[in-house]
Amino acid sequence: MNSVVNDPASAGRPVIGICARTAPVTLQGSDMVVSLALQSHVAFLSAAGCTPLLLPLLPGVESLVGRLDGLLVPGGPDLDPQLYGEAAHPVTRAMSPDADRAELALVRAALDAELPVLAICRGMQLLNVLHGGTLHQHLPDVTGHHGHRPRTPSFTLGHHRLKLEPSSRIAGVLDEDAPESACHHHQAVNRLGAGLTATGWAEDGTVEAIEVRNHPFAIGVQWEAGQTADKRLHQALAQAAGRPKNS
């Protein structure tokens, strides 16, 4: 950790932690599990003047918050429904309770330290659960359609027009008349957690953006920021991370 933060090339650049995800890969003919981050998150934050830092979700990871200037919580697997008092839906998948709990502790510590936080897709769902909210475990059961995660042989983004709260931070970041999401999710906010405000919705009523009240910069978006060329949210996180604390 110190070798990254103290690198002369990184001097003066805000350090943004990125919560790692794990995935099985085959490399040089060998099967293995790796910790990784989407390269676009790394590239967008670096281009915005930050030093991205991968944070494996291990017990005690929250102790690193004091070395960070911001946190990005990316998309990933479904959260353990026991965290919000429910049994798993038949299609709830890829749960990792230990990683969930480590990530919850990390995000709580980041919010308590008033670090800027950008929570994407699963990250937004985790932000809601952290505040006592619940999730729709399979959104098609509620909406009657698969538009938020198109049923295609390959990874395909769904697209939805967004309605944004005009005075919200997310509306200020996107700053356009007809914003649209590019999403790939089958879960979404059900009961909104305490201390959160919903600030964006799809046309079918699905909550697409939330913000932490009384926090300098803590935004959750349900769409796949980082899977398109749109860098505005990463730039906003970088800008918030570069401000002096308590400003």
Side-chain angles (χ1 to χ4, degrees), residues 110-202:
L111 292 174
D112 287 348
E114 296 195 341
L115 291 187
V117 174
L118 173 60
I120 297 169
C121 197
R122 166 199 156 95
M124 172 174 139
Q125 295 163 12
L126 182 138
L127 190 62
N128 188 52
V129 170
L130 177 63
H131 286 81
T134 63
L135 304 178
H136 293 300
Q137 289 193 53
H138 193 52
L139 195 52
D141 293 346
V142 179
T143 63
H145 65 81
H146 293 268
H148 292 270
R149 189 178 70 175
R151 301 176 73 180
T152 57
S154 59
F155 183 89
T156 303
L157 294 171
H159 294 273
H160 300 274
R161 286 289 181 92
L162 292 171
K163 176 185 176 182
L164 303 180
E165 182 64 38
S167 60
S168 64
R169 190 177 293 275
I170 188 64
V173 171
L174 298 185
D175 191 25
E176 58 181 292
D177 293 331
E180 186 178 85
S181 70
C183 60
H184 190 86
H185 63 100
H186 81 112
Q187 298 194 339
V189 167
N190 182 4
R191 185 183 72 243
L192 190 65
L196 301 176
T197 300
T199 55
W201 302 264

Side-chain angles (χ1 to χ4, degrees), residues 13-27:
R13 293 168 63 94
V15 176
I16 305 296
I18 302 176
C19 297
R21 300 291 176 238
T22 58
V25 300
T26 300
L27 184 63

Side-chain angles (χ1 to χ4, degrees), residues 89 109 113 141 206:
H89 187 285
D141 293 346
T206 301

